[in-house]
Amino acid sequence: MTKTWAVLRDRNARLYLTGVLVSGFGTSALWLVSGVWVKDLTGSDGLAALCMLAMWAPTLAGPLLGTLADRVRRKPLLIGANLLLAVLLPVLLTARVPVVLTVLLVYGAVGVVHDAAESALVAGAVAPSLLGDFNGLRMAITEGMKVIAPLAGAGLYALHGGPAVALLDALTFALAAGVYAGLRVRQDRVPAREERPGPSPRTPFTEGARHLWAHPVLRPLILAGGTTMFCAGLNGALLYAVIDGLGRSPAYAGVLYAVQGAGSVAVGLFSGPALRRLGGRRFAGYGIVLTAVAAGLRALPSEPLALAGSAAIGVGLPCVLIAALTAVQRETPDALLGRTAATAHTLVFAPNALGLAAGAALVELVDQRPLSAVLGVVWLATAVPLFQRPASAERIASRSPSDANPA
């Protein structure tokens, strides 16, 4: 834990984490309330679901949007993204559904740019040896906000309605902009002017994907992350069937989510030491194994197992995400880091939606228990490549450009 405390003593790291805490609270609150608000305005479940889609959809354009973080100065971009959302969110006070959906779409797009700029800035502002600890603490804060903020947002919505939550979120972004303004970034310049060698920032936005595909360290971690999130989507779609098997009401999902969130907070606090001890591949691999076993055990209708499994999923699932993001920050040239980080987010998180859709279809056709058992086995198999000897950089580099092109 020594280096974890070192992160908290680092001024830049503290400011970044404070910004994540403040803005993450508002985002998590709005994430829940936006759907409830639209449901109350229209009575439509479909339009309520579109709120989540509007916030998530820009992730698919991550490789393109993330390129902006390689074209301009990153600290002003980060501050500007927060100020833009602070100014934009009060528009929701009109309480018109098309306006709400449009604002949420812009919200998601700005969020992609924000995350790319933040990932790139962190890699230069925080010591490389502390990146694993930083990303773990960031995960702990993010997951903690997902547990606390939706409850606070729901309470505020019940008292004062959707406009109050929108104004709260706007305030958190204004505060975060002020926090980020205090960052001291020594090389906050357009990457082409920096001394660190790397590709020109004028290279195509697809260069991030090419870098991930050709890199012997990054490719297996990103593939494992994407496969894991696909399986997580499948597992999430089975949740209410699991609850039915326990004889509980749908509201019991809140208990399981809270337990899972607590597990994610815990692993975030210890991920830095674990990454140093195990290395990225084994840390990710052990996390996948734990998550797969926990998901497979949901085939057994046992409430203690369900609670233990949710905690284990909360511990195991973030491991591959933390390992992959830390590796991207360490192994990517600065001039490519914005688009590469955004591309990695797309490749890792987009499969989650596909898994949710596939799981929603399968659970209507097949009983949950065999599905959970099969899912556990398939998920377990995705960890196998991470325990194998990594491919040599020379062998990867010897491939032709067309081999290294994921298209």
Side-chain angles (χ1 to χ4, degrees):
M1 294 291 290
T2 303
K3 289 202 173 184
T4 300
W5 286 113
V7 172
L8 296 176
R9 289 195 298 268
D10 182 275
R11 182 179 183 278
N12 275 337
R14 284 200 312 273
L15 287 173
Y16 277 116
L17 292 173
T18 302
V20 170
L21 175 66
V22 172
S23 63
F25 182 88
T27 297
S28 295
L30 188 68
W31 170 78
L32 171 68
V33 166
S34 61
V36 177
W37 191 8
V38 169
K39 169 70 174 176
D40 285 345
L41 289 172
T42 66
S44 169
D45 291 330
L47 287 175
L50 279 180
C51 291
M52 178 60 64
L53 178 61
M55 295 180 74
W56 173 86
T59 305
L60 296 175
L64 182 59
L65 292 172
T67 304
L68 186 60
D70 293 332
R71 298 279 197 253
V72 301
R73 295 171 62 194
R74 290 161 178 162
K75 178 180 171 180
L77 179 62
L78 192 62
I79 296 169
N82 282 274
L83 290 177
L84 173 60
L85 291 177
V87 172
L88 181 66
L89 283 165
V91 176
L92 293 179
L93 271 63
T94 60
R96 297 175 60 188
V97 173
V99 173
V100 172
L101 293 175
T102 301
V103 169
L104 291 178
L105 186 65
V106 176
Y107 192 111
V110 173
V112 173
V113 176
H114 179 285
D115 289 347
E118 181 195 272
S119 295
L121 270 177
V122 164
V126 176
S129 62
L130 298 179
L131 282 174
D133 301 85
F134 175 88
N135 289 325
L137 288 172
R138 189 187 193 285
M139 176 70 69
I141 290 171
T142 301
E143 293 302 315
M145 288 302 99
K146 288 180 181 178
V147 175
I148 298 170
L151 296 176
L156 183 61
Y157 179 80
L159 291 173
H160 302 291
V165 181
L167 289 176
L168 170 66
D169 199 12
L171 176 62
T172 63
F173 279 113
L175 292 174
V179 170
Y180 290 131
L183 292 171
R184 296 172 182 167
V185 184
R186 287 173 294 180
Q187 288 190 326
D188 182 29
R189 295 171 289 179
V190 176
R193 299 177 185 173
E194 294 177 7
E195 295 180 3
R196 184 176 176 179
S200 166
R202 301 300 175 187
T203 51
F205 70 88
T206 55
E207 195 64 27
R210 290 173 62 87
H211 174 69
L212 291 172
W213 187 256
H215 200 287
V217 173
L218 299 181
R219 184 166 73 171
L221 285 172
I222 297 302
L223 288 175
T227 306
T228 291
M229 292 308 294
F230 177 80
C231 292
L234 285 170
N235 188 57
L238 304 180
L239 178 64
Y240 289 99
V242 171
I243 293 171
D244 285 343
L246 298 175
R248 289 281 195 167
S249 71
Y252 191 66
V255 176
L256 297 181
Y257 277 130
V259 172
Q260 181 174 328
S264 296
V265 170
V267 76
L269 297 175
F270 293 96
S271 61
L275 272 171
R276 283 187 290 275
R277 183 176 182 85
L278 300 173
R281 291 171 68 102
R282 285 197 296 160
F283 178 63
Y286 286 134
I288 293 173
V289 169
L290 178 61
T291 309
V293 171
L297 288 177
R298 283 184 165 179
L300 303 176
S302 164
E303 189 166 337
L305 274 180
L307 291 169
S310 290
I313 290 171
V315 171
L317 189 59
C319 293
V320 66
L321 307 179
I322 294 170
L325 176 58
T326 303
V328 167
Q329 290 172 318
R330 287 175 174 168
E331 301 291 336
T332 304
D334 184 73
L336 279 181
L337 191 46
R339 76 199 77 181
T340 302
T343 300
H345 276 85
T346 297
L347 294 175
V348 169
F349 291 107
N352 183 253
L354 299 177
L356 280 168
L362 285 172
V363 76
E364 296 292 333
L365 302 174
V366 184
D367 184 73
Q368 170 266 325
R369 285 175 291 183
L371 274 179
S372 291
V374 171
L375 174 61
V377 174
V378 172
W379 206 339
L380 196 61
T382 67
V384 172
L386 295 177
F387 293 106
Q388 296 173 345
R389 184 176 180 180
S392 69
E394 291 79 6
R395 181 157 52 88
I396 296 291
S398 68
R399 295 177 178 173
S400 68
S402 61
D403 292 333
N405 188 351

